[in-house]
Amino acid sequence: MPTSSGESQFFSEFLDDFFAESEEHLALARRILLSLEEAPDEPGLAQIDELFRAFHSLKGLAGMVGVGEIELLSHELEALLRALRMGDADLSDEMLGALIGGVRLLEQCLVARKTGAAAPPVEATIRALADMTEGSRSAPTTPTAPGGAEPAKIAAALAQGMRVWRIVFTPSASLAERGVHVNSIRERLLALGELLRAAPQVSPGGMLTFDFVLASAAPERAFDGWAADGLAVAPYTQPAAPSAPAASPAPPASPAPPIPAGTVVRVDLERLDDLMRMVGDLVIANARLEEQIAQAAPLLPSADARALYDLVGAFQRQTRSLRAGVMRTRLVPIGESFGRIQFMARDLARDLGRQLAVVIQGEHTEIDKFLVDWLMDPLMHLVRNALSHGLEPTQERVSLGKPSAGRLTLRAAADGEHVVVTVADDGRGIDIGRVAARARAHGLLAEGEELAPDHILDILCAPGFSTRDQADRVSGRGVGMDVVANAVHELRGALALETVAGQGTTFTLRLPLTLAIMDALLVAVADQCFAIPLSAIGEIISLEPGQITPLERNELITHRGAPLPLVRIAQRFQIAGALHHGYACVVGEGGGAAALVFDRALGKREIVVRPLNDPLVAQPYLAGATELGDGRVVLLLDVAALLRPASAARES
Amino acid sequence: MSEYILCELAGATYAIPSIAVRYVEMIEQITPVPNAPPAVEGIVLSRGQVIPALSLRARFGFAPQPHTLRTRLVVVASGERVVGLIVDTAREFARIDAAAISPPPAAISGLSGSYLEGVATLGQRLALLLRLDEVLKITDSLAPDAGPDEGERDHGILQPTEER
């Protein structure tokens, strides 16, 4: 937005609210369109009404902040729905497609505005929508035609004997120096009468101007000399009516339901981040206090020491509940992301000419707002994969005796400190033979080496690996599962894959609920200390001599009647002087479980995780680092990465 | 006329653009990072941040030397990255006139060519001007051999995650 500072201030105050509210209306529109698509034969009038209102509100919002392309596009969508409401048209498949396309374009426009990118071209869509609308009107010609000035208000003002003026203010640096800026102009106008409209407008040249409509009883000479202040004053004329129905007002929509009284507060995510950081600092201060008390305790009378311990214990409990409280404020239901993904999936299925049934489960599961934003891309990618690689074309499905519509399941569930999100399809499953062949071609798999099932995911996630020779529109270009794997890894989560030939593929993402603070077990290996996320640990066992069975390059123990491979931290990290029979913690699940060996446990701690993302120190087996409050830094292990088959790990 | 922080390393003087230097401090505790490039001594906690500590001695192929009271950590910012450079000592600040800087001698070949911006004469001695982005670059000779499953990810400069 090329603006000078004063105006951009005025402008950005509106924009955040505009984005947030627009998102809400779009989410509603998406929901309704999805339900219409499920049952296209019987669109309820209520749904059409709601949809109409969503577009109408969007148009109004966009008009207020002068986002022309969104205003025009919503206007056309609204007109199409008006025709539907009046019974001038029936909801055809084509029309539904056009509405869905329109909503997607609106999304893109919003994103472009948010990121300051160039707006996507909307003219073609607007024309197509206009053609579709009954009475095929031509599209409005001037993209900055002022809409949104309330004709009723203007009529009322005229009836009261006032005159209505349109004033355009073009700010400039020299005017600002003289104290003439949009706020002073507003004051000046308000002194003369009532402002019916005030909207920033961006001219095609990128200039920002402000468009005011003023109803005033003041005589024309009140405006004498205003041109010198960058103002153009003209009697207001109604813009050429962009739509016929606007001239003959449509029957008023049933009033929008009142917004529930203010129980919701919108908070900037950054403020919550700040809070989380402060809580993190508090956790560290807490740990230091505890340590100091432990050092001082022997010097104190025991009653005093106990009182101090009690106090610090209470402080710790309070800090914990504060942390839980702050975390709760950041949680949002995952449902909206699912809705967005579902929307995209249907759109894509339409493009591919396939039938699709989307099943959504656990949409009320709450996850951190930050995670939601991060998850979007990987989930979209998995869904695109499922549609383009997983689900068979309709014909093929029918001949296989499967239901003609492919099934895509999005599921979310909370699991203690984690949230588990799955994307499943009932398609053809991953062709292991083909993946193996491609892996050999890429040099990821030795000739003659078999592809072990638990190694498939590593291969799929190798950078640049794709089983499609040409990137089609659907799977994007040259990016593949490695993007998903990286995103999950950045979030310190785990990715798992299950696939059955002919029956489908399921990807499971397991993510920590919060990124900043966690409970960890501190362990010693020789003279080094490491932290292991407590949530990854099943139990801690002591290793006895004679319990360990060596097997080629591996070691096994029997635990609860099942063999369990040992993973020695000392061996993985080439640390000399570690115990051979220390302790181990059982990590991982089912067939992927292992015992992670260390010398001894030093205790459980609540830690504040610091990312380790500088390329000098970023390592796949490290989830980050943490400070212990005494200046020492300890590495936090990424258990999932350590458990990868030894063949994939670095061994010297 | 630009400002530089001067560091000593194996008897030579190196100059780092002061605009890139956040601060210089003593080194307390370094936590080693297994499998990191050999020149990376580990990570340190510095003013509330966990940052990598890179030994310039090792980076430039000099013999290691135990840390002493004179050893310093020069914390530099390059793009999005913040890294601590371990030097024998760093105590001086100098303004160097562009006219006093000459390009690196053509005879210097191999590695050292890429991270030298130029050579400046400061009275009786020479100062070698460093190119930080080159110093911090992970070259293949710096990085350990990557296993098959973690290909290029650890080499090129990773995009640091956005702190929000």
Side-chain angles (χ1 to χ4, degrees):
Chain A
M1 212 38 59
T3 65
S4 59
S5 62
E7 281 80 40
S8 66
Q9 198 65 45
F10 165 74
F11 202 80
S12 64
E13 276 171 32
F14 291 114
L15 276 186
D16 284 348
D17 281 348
F18 165 69
F19 287 138
E21 281 191 51
S22 304
E23 295 276 357
E24 280 169 27
H25 291 302
L26 275 178
L28 176 69
R30 273 196 298 265
R31 260 205 307 282
I32 299 167
L33 285 171
L34 281 175
S35 66
L36 283 177
E37 200 180 27
E38 309 246 311
D41 315 335
E42 40 195 293
L45 198 56
Q47 287 177 310
I48 299 284
D49 263 354
E50 256 191 303
L51 203 51
F52 172 84
R53 271 204 300 274
F55 291 133
H56 181 76
S57 314
L58 258 173
K59 172 172 130 179
L61 283 169
M64 260 191 293
V65 295
V67 183
E69 69 276 8
I70 293 185
E71 188 181 358
L72 288 172
L73 195 50
S74 321
H75 173 83
E76 282 308 332
L77 288 162
E78 182 195 17
L80 181 55
L81 280 153
R82 183 179 293 116
L84 280 171
R85 287 171 72 207
M86 311 279 280
D88 294 350
D90 288 327
L91 184 62
S92 64
D93 217 26
E94 183 196 12
M95 219 175 253
L96 194 57
L99 287 170
I100 290 177
V103 168
R104 292 212 54 192
L105 191 56
L106 279 174
E107 270 176 24
Q108 291 164 1
C109 291
L110 262 185
V111 170
R113 280 283 170 170
K114 255 190 192 164
T115 55
V122 295
E123 293 76 14
T125 310
I126 287 178
R127 246 195 311 281
L129 284 167
D131 290 347
M132 199 174 275
T133 307
E134 200 64 26
S136 59
R137 298 169 289 96
S138 60
T141 45
T142 49
T144 47
E150 290 291 338
K153 274 193 186 171
I154 293 172
L158 293 170
Q160 290 169 13
M162 293 196 196
R163 296 187 60 185
V164 181
W165 305 90
R166 179 166 177 218
I167 297 121
V168 178
F169 169 56
T170 309
S172 73
S174 59
L175 287 173
E177 273 176 28
R178 287 200 282 120
V180 180
H181 47 77
V182 66
N183 291 338
S184 71
I185 295 291
R186 286 172 82 90
E187 300 292 313
R188 191 186 298 189
L189 294 173
L190 285 169
L192 289 174
E194 191 191 353
L195 267 186
L196 303 181
R197 174 160 195 254
Q201 296 278 358
V202 182
S203 73
M207 279 285 300
L208 183 79
T209 61
F210 290 87
D211 203 10
F212 296 101
V213 175
L214 175 80
S216 165
E220 191 162 350
R221 62 170 189 281
F223 305 116
D224 283 353
W226 280 29
D229 289 344
L231 290 153
V233 184
Y236 180 79
T237 49
Q238 278 283 20
S243 62
S248 56
S254 44
I259 294 162
T263 52
V264 175
V265 182
R266 262 203 210 112
V267 183
D268 197 34
L269 196 58
E270 237 168 83
R271 288 192 192 177
L272 291 179
D273 281 344
D274 283 345
L275 268 183
M276 205 67 189
R277 253 196 301 279
M278 291 183 225
V279 171
D281 292 345
L282 201 56
V283 167
I284 289 180
N286 209 327
R288 294 174 66 168
L289 183 65
E290 206 179 356
E291 230 159 72
Q292 286 295 324
I293 289 173
Q295 279 177 18
L299 313 173
L300 295 172
S302 63
D304 289 353
R306 199 166 320 117
L308 274 180
Y309 274 127
D310 285 351
L311 268 178
V312 88
F315 180 28
Q316 209 163 38
R317 280 192 299 279
Q318 285 154 358
T319 309
R320 268 182 179 276
S321 42
L322 179 62
R323 171 191 147 191
V326 172
M327 261 177 60
R328 266 199 308 276
T329 58
R330 299 175 47 107
L331 297 181
V332 294
I334 200 169
E336 182 165 327
S337 328
F338 275 4
R340 212 180 282 192
I341 291 168
Q342 186 182 5
F343 201 76
M344 179 212 71
R346 289 189 177 287
D347 205 36
L348 194 56
R350 212 179 258 278
D351 277 4
L352 294 168
R354 297 186 189 173
Q355 297 173 30
L356 179 70
V358 183
V359 181
I360 289 196
Q361 293 167 331
E363 65 265 44
H364 300 301
T365 307
E366 294 198 316
I367 72 175
D368 192 295
K369 175 76 178 111
F370 173 77
L371 280 183
V372 170
D373 297 346
W374 259 87
L375 258 181
M376 214 53 201
D377 278 349
L379 286 183
M380 288 269 193
H381 197 94
L382 289 173
V383 167
R384 273 197 291 266
N385 265 342
L387 278 161
S388 60
H389 299 283
L391 295 176
E392 312 87 338
T394 313
Q395 284 299 316
E396 195 179 322
R397 288 183 69 90
V398 172
S399 65
L400 287 168
K402 289 185 170 186
S404 60
R407 199 177 62 225
L408 177 75
T409 310
L410 297 169
R411 189 182 308 119
D415 176 13
E417 289 269 291
H418 285 79
V419 62
V420 178
V421 183
T422 55
V423 176
D425 67 63
D426 67 343
R428 55 169 73 97
I430 291 175
D431 183 339
I432 299 183
R434 215 164 98 188
V435 171
R438 298 269 319 173
R440 289 194 192 96
H442 277 253
L444 296 165
L445 196 66
E447 282 304 326
E449 192 183 342
E450 279 305 306
L451 182 56
D454 55 2
H455 197 49
I456 299 173
L457 193 57
D458 291 336
I459 297 284
L460 289 180
C461 295
F465 182 87
S466 165
T467 54
R468 280 280 163 101
D469 289 307
Q470 70 246 40
D472 49 17
R473 160 196 180 304
V474 173
S475 303
R477 211 157 265 296
V479 291
M481 284 295 301
D482 55 327
V483 175
V484 178
N486 279 347
V488 171
H489 186 79
E490 298 253 306
L491 296 173
R492 297 209 316 272
L495 180 67
L497 161 73
E498 267 179 82
T499 182
V500 180
Q503 290 183 30
T505 306
T506 302
F507 282 97
T508 305
L509 287 74
R510 196 182 159 84
L511 300 161
L513 271 182
T514 174
L515 294 173
I517 305 176
M518 62 157 73
D519 287 319
L521 179 74
L522 296 182
V523 302
V525 178
D527 57 350
Q528 294 188 34
C529 174
F530 295 97
I532 303 171
L534 207 59
S535 56
I537 297 176
E539 55 186 309
I540 297 178
I541 52 181
S542 140
L543 292 177
E544 307 300 334
Q547 207 187 352
I548 303 174
T549 313
L551 183 83
E552 282 181 34
R553 289 167 60 205
N554 297 302
E555 295 175 293
L556 293 175
I557 55 168
T558 309
H559 176 68
R560 300 189 185 275
L564 201 58
L566 291 189
V567 176
R568 293 183 178 271
I569 297 176
Q571 197 180 347
R572 279 294 163 88
F573 296 169
Q574 290 122 44
I575 299 170
L579 298 179
H580 193 70
H581 295 101
Y583 291 85
C585 53
V586 180
V587 290
E589 282 154 18
L596 199 56
V597 183
F598 48 86
D599 289 7
R600 61 188 191 283
L602 301 172
K604 195 185 82 164
R605 277 288 277 276
E606 195 174 23
I607 60 169
V608 178
V609 183
R610 314 263 173 191
L612 271 192
N613 39 29
D614 192 279
L616 289 168
V617 288
Q619 302 278 357
Y621 53 83
L622 295 180
T626 183
E627 53 187 292
L628 294 185
D630 58 359
R632 273 187 306 156
V633 181
V634 166
L635 296 171
L636 177 69
L637 302 182
D638 182 333
V639 172
L642 277 171
L643 294 195
R644 279 198 208 130
S647 67
R650 291 173 181 165
E651 303 256 351
S652 54
Chain B
M1 199 51 114
S2 312
E3 298 165 342
Y4 292 84
I5 303 288
L6 302 184
C7 335
E8 301 294 321
L9 201 66
T13 304
Y14 290 81
I16 300 173
S18 88
I19 194 160
V21 177
R22 291 204 168 176
Y23 48 88
V24 179
E25 59 179 12
M26 297 188 68
I27 299 183
E28 295 198 1
Q29 299 205 8
I30 297 192
T31 303
V33 176
N35 301 349
V40 176
E41 285 197 20
I43 48 179
V44 292
L45 179 67
S46 170
R47 309 206 179 173
Q49 250 191 311
V50 173
I51 57 172
L54 180 73
S55 158
L56 277 196
R57 272 184 165 268
R59 178 73 180 82
F60 298 160
F62 299 117
Q65 194 189 50
H67 295 183
T68 67
L69 282 175
R70 301 178 66 235
T71 307
R72 290 290 179 274
L73 187 73
V74 181
V75 179
V76 298
S78 167
E80 298 270 303
R81 303 170 64 190
V82 177
V83 176
L85 304 176
I86 303 170
V87 297
D88 292 357
T89 191
R91 289 178 322 184
E92 293 175 87
F93 174 86
R95 283 200 173 82
I96 302 179
D97 203 330
I101 302 175
S102 44
I108 298 184
S109 63
L111 245 191
S112 32
S114 60
Y115 54 73
L116 276 192
E117 180 72 55
V119 180
T121 39
L122 298 174
Q124 291 306 302
R125 53 182 183 162
L126 287 181
L128 304 167
L129 273 47
L130 288 180
R131 261 192 214 153
L132 275 185
D133 52 346
E134 286 293 334
V135 171
L136 299 184
K137 199 170 274 181
I138 304 251
T139 56
D140 285 343
S141 61
L142 237 185
D145 300 330
D149 71 324
E150 48 233 16
E152 296 307 301
R153 241 188 300 167
D154 313 332
H155 288 284
I157 303 304
L158 288 181
Q159 285 303 313
T161 32
E162 215 176 314
E163 292 280 357
R164 306 176 28 153

PDB file of all heavy atoms in Angstrom, chain A residues 44 150 467:
ATOM      1  N   GLY A  44     -32.032 -24.881   0.712  1.00  0.00           N
ATOM      2  CA  GLY A  44     -32.989 -24.216   1.579  1.00  0.00           C
ATOM      3  C   GLY A  44     -32.912 -22.723   1.342  1.00  0.00           C
ATOM      4  O   GLY A  44     -31.834 -22.192   1.083  1.00  0.00           O
ATOM      5  N   GLU A 150     -24.862   5.290   1.297  1.00  0.00           N
ATOM      6  CA  GLU A 150     -26.216   4.833   1.526  1.00  0.00           C
ATOM      7  C   GLU A 150     -27.215   5.711   0.789  1.00  0.00           C
ATOM      8  O   GLU A 150     -27.401   6.875   1.159  1.00  0.00           O
ATOM      9  CB  GLU A 150     -26.508   4.856   3.030  1.00  0.00           C
ATOM     10  CG  GLU A 150     -25.746   3.804   3.793  1.00  0.00           C
ATOM     11  CD  GLU A 150     -26.249   2.411   3.472  1.00  0.00           C
ATOM     12  OE1 GLU A 150     -27.400   2.283   3.025  1.00  0.00           O
ATOM     13  OE2 GLU A 150     -25.483   1.462   3.655  1.00  0.00           O
ATOM     14  N   THR A 467       6.897 -39.588  -7.358  1.00  0.00           N
ATOM     15  CA  THR A 467       6.676 -40.742  -8.217  1.00  0.00           C
ATOM     16  C   THR A 467       5.992 -40.356  -9.512  1.00  0.00           C
ATOM     17  O   THR A 467       5.713 -41.194 -10.339  1.00  0.00           O
ATOM     18  CB  THR A 467       5.803 -41.804  -7.515  1.00  0.00           C
ATOM     19  OG1 THR A 467       4.624 -41.154  -7.076  1.00  0.00           O
ATOM     20  CG2 THR A 467       6.525 -42.410  -6.344  1.00  0.00           C
TER      21      THR A 467
END
